[in-house]
Amino acid sequence: LFQCKVGRKVDKLKLTTTEYALFPSVISQKGFTMNGGGMLSFQRDCHGHYFFASNVKLVSGEEDLSKQFMGLDRRHTTQGFLLKFTAGFRQAWAKMIDVDDGVNPMVKDTTLDSKGSIFAAITYTKDNYQVIRVQKYDQCGELLQGADVKDDTIDGRDAYLGIDSKDNVVLFHSHLNKESGELNPCQVVKLDGDDLKTQTWQDRMDMIDGQHSCVPTGVKVDCLDNIYISGYFASNRGFLRKYDREGNILWTKADFVDQVTEIIYDPRQDVLVVTVGTDSIMMVSARGQEVHTLDVRAREIALGDEGYFVFHWIDGQHKIGYLAEDLSMVRNYEISWNDWDSIARCDNLVPNVYGTEVYLTCFFNNAKDVIIFQMKDSVPIKLFS
């Protein structure tokens, strides 16, 4: 959709017509559940390929590793997997995530570089403690390399990946404070994309303005390779922080009244758009100043062709809204689904290459299945097998 060039220049692709294809949206297999920990991840590359990641285990909690998942051998009771869909939304391949020296590897997040490589943030158990690592895969799902980043990570919290213009990887996660279990810090670390064992720089966040016990919620990289992280503390007070490419802190904004739960970067305006709790969306300038605020019960946001998609609750219904660049509401789309009580949560609002349609991944309550909704710019569609 929008490509970062030198400095702040942004190229916008002009289109007249687009052909769409559908793919089976329900990802499931009898006897397995995706309620194994970790999180859902759904990414798109610049060619219109989509990559889905989650974690599975047997519904019964058995440790029977003889049962395959999607025709793939399993080596762990709980194990992450990757799926690639082509631009025509046909399944290209499936891959179980594994580690050499540990058990129960779970995917936390994924990101893609300019060459089409896939990076996955993974936690796994080694010698009775949790380790977080990053692994790199090629476009065919073959493992290229991997490296442990830190021991004593917090398994129950999310971790996030970003990518810069040099295809280096930024990992944002939380880990245990061995001296005090109530003061768990966050860590931001930049890894060399060609050699994941090389850490370019790292920053540990123990406390901001007296707030402690950090929970990460996102990381984004702008066209100048500045890095933005979002999260909140034990008090539910949200924060944003900006680093330059060398890891120097440029500013911190920690005056949010609620959690900062989602973050996107818009290169067109050089701004951040974040969700604050479940009651509002805020636009923040590259200098950390509030630009616009919209009161809306939003859960997910995504960049559109001329504005923003938002998954939100309005008039007693879940809908996909479309916002202008000043965050004013342009229109709302109905989602063709009648039983929202059957869905536990939705994540990963992902636009297509052109920003004219968006995809929403949702967990069913039993977590056995994942459903993906497709919303075109004019017509909502429920995808199902």
Side-chain angles (χ1 to χ4, degrees), residues 326-344:
D326 63 357
L327 297 189
S328 60
M329 184 67 72
V330 177
R331 67 181 71 92
N332 275 298
Y333 300 117
E334 302 286 341
I335 302 176
S336 181
W337 189 255
N338 296 323
D339 186 15
W340 283 102
D341 289 337
S342 67
I343 290 180

Side-chain angles (χ1 to χ4, degrees), residues 159-218:
Y160 296 88
L161 290 175
I163 201 86
D164 72 7
S165 66
K166 306 294 184 183
D167 289 334
N168 296 313
V169 183
V170 181
L171 171 66
F172 182 34
H173 71 105
S174 58
H175 60 90
L176 294 173
N177 183 329
K178 295 181 179 180
E179 287 76 34
S180 174
E182 297 181 354
L183 302 176
N184 298 320
C186 282
Q187 182 192 42
V188 186
V189 57
K190 190 172 184 178
L191 308 173
D192 187 320
D194 294 323
D195 180 10
L196 293 174
K197 294 180 181 179
T198 300
Q199 296 188 9
T200 305
W201 57 263
Q202 69 90 27
D203 181 43
R204 170 172 163 156
M205 302 169 56
D206 288 284
M207 191 174 295
I208 296 179
D209 292 347
Q211 305 295 309
H212 57 80
S213 194
C214 170
V215 179
T217 60

Side-chain angles (χ1 to χ4, degrees), residues 141-156:
E142 294 302 316
L143 178 64
L144 299 176
Q145 59 166 307
D148 291 349
V149 177
K150 190 164 186 61
D151 301 338
D152 295 321
T153 189
I154 300 179
D155 178 53

Side-chain angles (χ1 to χ4, degrees), residues 281 294-300 308-324 327-336 349 358 375-381:
I281 293 177
L294 174 68
D295 291 333
V296 60
R297 299 182 64 182
R299 300 293 299 177
E300 301 289 331
Y308 310 98
F309 289 101
V310 56
F311 173 63
H312 67 124
W313 177 262
I314 183 172
D315 298 331
Q317 293 181 317
H318 291 288
K319 294 184 179 182
I320 299 289
Y322 196 80
L323 310 178
L327 297 189
S328 60
M329 184 67 72
V330 177
R331 67 181 71 92
N332 275 298
Y333 300 117
E334 302 286 341
I335 302 176
S336 181
L349 198 61
V358 73
M375 180 69 62
K376 292 186 179 181
D377 190 37
S378 58
V379 181
I381 299 173

Side-chain angles (χ1 to χ4, degrees), residues 77-97:
T77 303
T78 302
Q79 191 166 359
F81 71 94
L82 288 170
L83 284 175
K84 178 183 177 180
F85 295 98
T86 67
F89 289 111
R90 295 180 177 87
Q91 182 179 318
W93 49 257
K95 177 82 175 182
M96 300 303 296
I97 297 294

Side-chain angles (χ1 to χ4, degrees), residues 231-273:
Y232 60 92
F233 298 98
S235 62
N236 283 336
R237 184 167 160 184
F239 69 87
L240 294 173
R241 174 170 282 183
K242 181 179 182 179
Y243 299 87
D244 67 16
R245 67 179 66 190
E246 304 300 329
N248 300 304
I249 299 173
L250 300 181
W251 52 259
T252 301
K253 180 177 174 61
D255 57 355
F256 295 95
V257 297
D258 204 343
Q259 302 175 5
V260 176
T261 53
E262 295 288 332
I263 177 174
I264 61 172
Y265 171 72
D266 183 353
R268 299 166 299 194
Q269 304 188 77
D270 191 28
V271 296
L272 301 171
V273 181

